[in-house]
Amino acid sequence: MLRALKILKIFYLQFPLSVKLAALFVFLFLLFALFGQLITNYGFRETSLFDRLKPPGSSDYFLGTDSRGRDLLARLVVGSQITVIVAVVGTLIGAILGSLLGILAAATRGKTETVIVAAIDVQASLPIIVVALFLLAMFDNSFVLFLLLVGLNGWEIYARLMRGATLSAKEQGYVLAVRALGASPFRIYLIHILPNIFSIALVQFTINLPITILLETALSFLGLGVQPPLTSLGQIMSEGRDRLLTAWWLTLFPGAIIFFLALSISIIGDWLRDFLDPSIGKNL
Amino acid sequence: MLIAVSLVFIFIRFSGDPAAALAPPDASQEVIDQYTEMLGLDKPLWLQYTNYLKGLIQGEFGYSLHTGRAVEDIFLERLPFTLNLGITAFFISLFCGVPLGFYAALNRGSNLDRVVMGFSVFAFAMPNFLFGLLMILIAALWFNAYLGGEAANVLFPAMTLGLASMGSFARFSRSSLLEVINAPYMYAAEARGILFHRRMLFHALPNAAIPLVTLIGLSLGGLIAGSVVTEQVFAWPGVGQLLVRSVATRDLAMVQFIVLSVSFTMVTANLLVDLLYLFIDPRIRVD
């Protein structure tokens, strides 16, 4: 136990200040999303027409209220939860889908690989928000569809990275050894190769996470993402947009949370990439 | 391109019956049948597909479900606004981002370098709708003007749109120049006694600029994606706003046309970038 703490301390001393601050913000944000409900007396859908557009700091409403008298603090807590869920689940979907397709392409070669590589090229040439808007126009908007859409974000990057890594791992000695021992392809790729190239996907995950957050909030801001009665940080912003000059707190608080969250995660992601792969150097 | 076109067709066909979507909700079966016949949906699927391709080649893209006008007419009306915004944003980001990056690379490790790197992280994490709203707030409070919807006031929306690519231009040009500066031929030039400015201008910059061509091609996608949100924030009457509105009202023909033109633009741009590479980098021609 003491030993573990010591190792943790050594690691902690190595962190640059920016990473420490970023990790602190992410930690505080998660605390806020998980337990924020405890510091307010109101539910996020509870309206009170007598208390509309109260500025921050008014009695009872610490961060003010919106145009229907709903407590902004309670809405921010729920919005943060939804944003985190969509971002993490969406990024996971993209990571798993993309990685599996990439490994599949490298494992099979031949026609399957051609199809997957063509799909990667098509996806890479289209901005994800345009694809998402297209699919939203085609199908009825629902929370599950929205999750899947957000999950499409960046799958082609995982697929490309994992395909390259698998192709080079395939030629290494340990793979030849397990193959000679008669392991099935499933065993070779998922049990032996995947753990060895996992760090690539992990780094890409932290790089993709802020992009997913920005995509979700942008779509919700356009009114095409998370639908009421649920709420997300982007949706709270779009509701406050028309009252920018009279009720600035409705846009600035959720906006600041989105900005600092995306900033913190991308700082951590950049640091993780340099830390795990020193060969890139400090130039980038 | 053909793959993209076919995917659009498949998605439209499997997303439900367009005739039912077009007809009023309480329409009788006869009316729906009439729409079905009018849209050619009673024919076999392969015939629908070839008809669809034929229509695209002949320049018949369909009619907007809401205004009843040809989709390409509405699109062309909106296009100049988007081009105006996008091109301004592109030049702002290019002419601010690249010099910033080069300057940071030349003063590596200085405070200015840190500021530029900080700026590029900031630009990446800043959601453009938030930045746009801040811009509006600043304009309204300090300049007492509401900047939205007026063609003359392209500056603030363009800065909003260009922010993200400005950050990536700065970051990328910095690392690309740093790579070049440490190349052996730069030391050779120094050893020959060539002056610093001449070395930078004629030896380093042309080589550092080559990878930037790729980034310019990539930034087009970012600009298109960003313009969807930015136009909505600034009430800019461009294609992005049209796309969002058409999605919200489920105007399928309009959405389809915009998505096809975006993918056409992207494919063409990627092709141009590849050709440009052949032109400016002789090493590729040898391979």
Side-chain angles (χ1 to χ4, degrees), chain A residues 125-127 129 133 137-140 211 214 217-218 221-222 237 241 244-245 252 255 259 263 266 270 283, chain B residues 12 15 108 121-122 124-127 129-130 133-134 137 171 174 221 225 228 232-233 243 247 250 252 263 266:
Chain A
S125 72
L126 270 179
I129 196 164
L133 286 177
M138 296 296 125
F139 303 100
D140 280 327
I211 304 178
L214 294 183
T217 48
F221 179 78
L222 294 175
M237 276 189 79
R241 197 188 127 197
L244 188 60
L245 289 179
L252 287 197
F259 169 65
L263 186 70
S266 67
D270 281 355
N283 287 356
Chain B
I12 288 181
S15 67
R108 191 179 170 195
V121 177
F122 162 84
F124 169 78
M126 184 54 128
F129 47 92
L130 175 61
L133 289 177
L134 289 179
L137 207 56
R171 195 189 179 106
R174 175 180 176 273
V228 174
Q232 197 70 14
V233 173
L243 177 61
V247 170
R250 305 200 71 185
L252 295 189
S263 49
M266 293 297 295

